[in-house]
Amino acid sequence: MHELSIVIDLVALCEENLRKNNKSKIEEVHLKIGRLSGVEPHLLKSAYDVYKKETVCENAKLIINLQDIVVKCNSCEKESILKKNEFLCPKCGSNDLEVLDGEDMYLMSLTMS
Ligand SMILES: [Zn+2]
């Protein structure tokens, strides 16, 4: 399962951050997940809830921020947020788009204690 391997990496990253900062517990994990990243937030959440037991994240809250798809149109040069699943510029209808945000997933911040 794709989401489980993400969670394993995430917990490892949390451990590393605790070590670097001389802390012992993670309180909150803030993630940004792009709508184009291919990561399913609810699957990630359930994988996290299972895996976090007996790790430094055992009592940590997972907070997921969904990032909309932000594109720049190469035809009309406007930036837009894509709401629908069609990959077309909402301003002019062109499909010559460059994705500026919403493609990846990353750790935004950690609250440690
Ligand atoms: Zn356009």
Side-chain angles (χ1 to χ4, degrees):
M1 189 173 142
H2 178 55
E3 277 73 15
L4 181 60
S5 61
I6 294 172
V7 169
I8 292 171
D9 287 349
L10 181 66
V11 171
L13 198 60
C14 288
E15 281 169 355
E16 195 185 311
N17 275 282
L18 284 176
R19 256 200 318 275
K20 274 191 205 151
N21 294 283
N22 272 320
K23 308 271 186 184
S24 59
K25 265 196 314 189
I26 302 282
E27 307 271 352
E28 282 177 4
V29 180
H30 293 253
L31 280 185
K32 173 168 146 176
I33 299 181
R35 292 189 191 278
L36 269 186
S37 67
V39 179
E40 286 290 337
H42 68 282
L43 290 180
L44 188 70
K45 182 85 172 58
S46 46
Y48 175 80
D49 286 341
V50 171
Y51 184 76
K52 70 176 181 180
K53 296 193 179 87
E54 287 166 48
T55 73
V56 293
C57 291
E58 185 158 18
N59 297 307
K61 224 164 109 183
L62 181 67
I63 295 147
I64 293 173
N65 298 280
L66 271 180
Q67 172 63 50
D68 281 327
I69 304 157
V70 182
V71 293
K72 182 172 178 285
C73 176
N74 288 324
S75 298
C76 69
E77 310 219 310
K78 300 241 166 46
E79 283 183 22
S80 318
I81 289 172
L82 292 188
K83 292 285 183 198
K84 290 177 278 183
N85 273 342
E86 36 180 59
F87 212 67
L88 296 172
C89 171
K91 307 270 186 332
C92 73
S94 164
N95 63 1
D96 188 7
L97 305 176
E98 189 186 325
V99 178
L100 301 180
D101 205 352
E103 268 186 319
D104 42 25
M105 189 208 92
Y106 57 85
L107 183 61
M108 291 167 82
S109 66
L110 287 174
T111 312
M112 297 175 272
S113 64

